[in-house]
């Protein structure tokens, strides 16, 4: 891609990022849908000639760009959540009950089901497991229409989440990007070290337990240090919250990710936990809203740029290896596997007579809106870098098709479904009052 074309695509993405949310707010059309469609149209013109779109030859670039997009989204999600999670408070852990169910029950079921479908379709075990691990996590990048709007602040505001549906989808997307990594490593280890008996204990002790714990601890440490400096430092120049210096969010993101990776943990988890830890300090302070706004704007720009390029790649051969098996697996995941796994995970999450509960329609909406997106592309690119045999054209085509299908299916349904549920919740609140 020439420098001039980079400027043109980036400029177009920025312009669309500014105008599309307001233009599309009343329609059942999302900005990601428009960007993918625009990219596909651009791909039919001579304009993208010479663009490096082949995922095999540009794997490293795809990995790092999608990695950055996910990191920005994770920081924004962590700052947006109002509901506290305190390590020594069992009640706060119970308030996250629906999230834990989706992570500990729904996600493994989804991975297993998609991997089984891949194996039946003829994939080698390592490739089938990678397909399941890459497609299982919901995406914090593309699910903004069904997530919390942002942190609520103000001295007279009791900071918590009242919308259980949006909170669950948001918190799940924030955590499962890091928690999918152990299963990605199952595919990598199977491809590089062979039989499970050669690495089972290493995976269980290091990749499943140690790296998660290290990532979480690194995020907590970085978050607490930065929160202390921003809000309570004895040195006035370090109390950036008083000046409203919102770029601290970007500094926290880079620091947490770097620290988590350097000490051997999952950096995705470190970033999300860092944001949550920072958010727990001075919860009503307006500084959180300012930091979240910076992350939200950056995320919107990066996401739309990636989707525009993805759309171009689609009409430039990205889906050449796609066949009926890939189409069937992608649609099965979106329409059957994720809704069923999510519904099963939430089956016992009955509606108690208290604020922030979910009834049957909320649970089904939560199960259905498992948006797939940029994170799936990152996991595939990462695994292909660790084990080149996992970077098959068929996998790239199938994952890309699933992401695009999710963009259009979930994007078209998000506005009408959420509008209807919001109206129902308002009627229930008025009846209760």
């Amino acid at each position: 891609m020439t420098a001039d074309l980079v400027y043109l695509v980036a400029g177009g993405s920025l312009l669309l990022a500014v105008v599309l949310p307001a233009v599309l707010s009343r329609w059942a059309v999302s900005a990601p849908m428009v960007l993918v469609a625009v990219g596909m149209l651009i791909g039919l013109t001579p304009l993208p000639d010479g663009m490096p779109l082949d995922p095999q030859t540009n794997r490293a670039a795809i990995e790092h760009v999608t990695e950055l997009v996910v990191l920005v989204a994770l920081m924004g999600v962590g700052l947006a959540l109002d509901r506290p999670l305190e390590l020594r408070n069992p009640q706060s852990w119970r308030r996250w009950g629906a999230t834990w169910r989706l992570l500990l029950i729904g996600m493994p079921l989804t991975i297993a089901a998609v991997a089984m479908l891949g194996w039946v379709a003829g994939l080698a075990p390592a490739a089938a497991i990678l397909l399941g691990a890459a497609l299982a996590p919901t995406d914090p990048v593309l699910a903004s229409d069904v997530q919390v709007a942002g942190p609520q602040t103000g001295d007279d505001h009791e900071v918590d989440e009242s919308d259980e549906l949006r909170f669950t989808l948001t918190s799940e997307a924030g955590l499962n990007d890091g928690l999918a990594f152990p299963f990605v490593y199952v595919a990598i280890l199977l491809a590089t070290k062979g039989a499970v008996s050669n690495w089972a204990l290493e995976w269980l002790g290091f990749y499943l337990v140690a790296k998660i714990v290290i990532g979480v601890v690194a995020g907590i440490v970085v978050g607490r240090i930065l929160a202390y400096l921003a809000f309570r430092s004895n040195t006035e120049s370090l109390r950036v919250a008083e000046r409203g210096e919102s770029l601290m969010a970007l500094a926290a993101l880079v620091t947490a990710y770097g620290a988590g990776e350097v000490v051997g943990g999952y950096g995705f988890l470190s970033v999300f936990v860092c944001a949550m830890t920072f958010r727990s300090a001075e919860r009503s302070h307006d500084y959180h809203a300012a930091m979240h706004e910076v992350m939200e704007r950056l995320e919107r720009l990066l996401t739309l740029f990636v989707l525009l390029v993805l759309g171009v790649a689609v009409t430039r051969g990205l889906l050449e290896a796609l066949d009926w098996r890939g189409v069937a697996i992608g649609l099965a995941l979106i329409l059957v596997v994720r809704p069923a796994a999510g519904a099963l995970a939430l089956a016992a999450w009955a509606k108690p007579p208290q604020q922030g509960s979910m009834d049957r329609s909320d649970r089904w909406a939560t199960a259905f809106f498992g948006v797939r997106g940029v994170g799936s592309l990152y996991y595939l690119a990462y695994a292909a870098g660790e084990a080149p045999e996992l970077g098959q054209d068929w996998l790239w085509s199938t994952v890309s098709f699933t992401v695009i299908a999710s963009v259009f299916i979930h994007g078209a349904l998000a506005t009408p479904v959420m509008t209807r549920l919001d109206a129902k919740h308002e009627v229930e609140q008025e009846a209760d009052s």
Side-chain angles (χ1 to χ4, degrees), residues 223 227-228 231-232 276-285 288:
Y228 174 81
F231 293 105
R232 306 185 187 95
M276 285 284 297
T277 304
F278 195 98
R279 179 76 176 92
S280 68
E282 307 290 339
R283 298 193 66 86
S284 297
H285 202 291
H288 298 296

Side-chain angles (χ1 to χ4, degrees), residues 181-183 185-186 189 199-209:
F181 246 123
F183 301 97
Y185 275 110
V186 169
L189 292 171
W199 48 265
L201 291 178
E202 177 189 5
W203 177 81
L204 182 64
F206 182 62
Y207 292 102
L208 182 61
V209 177

Side-chain angles (χ1 to χ4, degrees), residues 159-200:
V159 178
D160 201 346
E161 299 285 355
S162 59
D163 191 328
E164 188 71 23
L165 193 164
R166 284 187 169 86
F167 166 77
T168 301
L169 288 170
T170 306
S171 55
E172 179 200 10
L175 283 166
N176 65 14
D177 269 297
L179 295 179
F181 246 123
F183 301 97
V184 173
Y185 275 110
V186 169
I188 294 172
L189 292 171
L190 193 59
T192 57
K193 295 190 176 183
V196 174
S197 58
N198 295 333
W199 48 265

Side-chain angles (χ1 to χ4, degrees), residues 101-369:
R101 285 175 171 272
L102 288 175
L103 293 173
L104 300 177
I105 300 175
M107 189 171 72
L109 285 176
T110 302
I111 294 173
V114 175
M116 181 61 67
L117 290 174
W119 181 73
V120 170
L123 292 179
I129 292 172
L130 175 60
L131 182 65
L135 290 176
T138 56
D139 197 88
V141 178
L142 300 180
S144 58
D145 290 339
V146 293
Q147 292 183 352
V148 298
Q152 301 181 64
T153 59
D155 294 336
D156 59 346
H157 178 69
E158 182 180 353
V159 178
D160 201 346
E161 299 285 355
S162 59
D163 191 328
E164 188 71 23
L165 193 164
R166 284 187 169 86
F167 166 77
T168 301
L169 288 170
T170 306
S171 55
E172 179 200 10
L175 283 166
N176 65 14
D177 269 297
L179 295 179
F181 246 123
F183 301 97
V184 173
Y185 275 110
V186 169
I188 294 172
L189 292 171
L190 193 59
T192 57
K193 295 190 176 183
V196 174
S197 58
N198 295 333
W199 48 265
L201 291 178
E202 177 189 5
W203 177 81
L204 182 64
F206 182 62
Y207 292 102
L208 182 61
V209 177
K211 286 177 75 68
I212 289 177
V213 172
I214 293 171
V216 170
V217 171
I220 292 174
V221 171
V222 173
R224 287 184 175 178
I225 292 174
L226 294 181
Y228 174 81
L229 294 176
F231 293 105
R232 306 185 187 95
S233 175
N234 294 326
T235 304
E236 183 178 356
S237 60
L238 294 179
R239 294 197 299 272
V240 293
E242 295 179 358
R243 303 196 305 272
E245 181 50 77
S246 52
L247 286 180
M248 169 65 86
L250 190 57
L253 180 160
V254 176
T255 304
Y257 186 65
E261 290 291 323
V262 165
V263 298
Y266 291 125
F268 281 3
L269 276 178
S270 299
V271 171
F272 179 74
V273 172
C274 172
M276 285 284 297
T277 304
F278 195 98
R279 179 76 176 92
S280 68
E282 307 290 339
R283 298 193 66 86
S284 297
H285 202 291
D286 290 339
Y287 187 50
H288 298 296
M291 292 176 64
H292 176 263
E293 184 176 1
V294 169
M295 290 293 99
E296 185 179 38
R297 291 177 182 273
L298 183 57
E299 172 195 335
R300 188 186 305 166
L301 172 61
L302 292 173
T303 301
L304 297 185
F305 175 79
V306 169
L307 291 177
L308 191 64
V309 174
L310 178 63
V312 173
V314 165
T315 46
R316 286 287 173 144
L318 181 61
L319 301 185
E320 283 185 352
L322 184 67
D323 56 19
W324 68 270
R325 299 174 302 160
V327 173
I329 290 174
L331 294 180
L333 168 65
I334 296 170
L335 301 176
V336 180
V337 174
R338 159 66 191 202
L344 181 61
L346 298 172
W349 196 250
K351 181 177 181 178
Q354 63 183 28
Q355 183 186 29
S357 58
M358 284 196 292
D359 59 16
R360 172 182 267 181
S361 58
D362 291 332
R363 294 198 301 273
W364 275 108
T366 303
F368 177 75
F369 283 111

Side-chain angles (χ1 to χ4, degrees), residues 382-401:
Y382 178 86
E386 297 293 317
E389 59 268 35
L390 294 176
Q392 305 172 19
D393 288 337
W394 188 88
L395 285 176
W396 279 107
S397 294
T398 299
V399 170
S400 299
F401 166 78

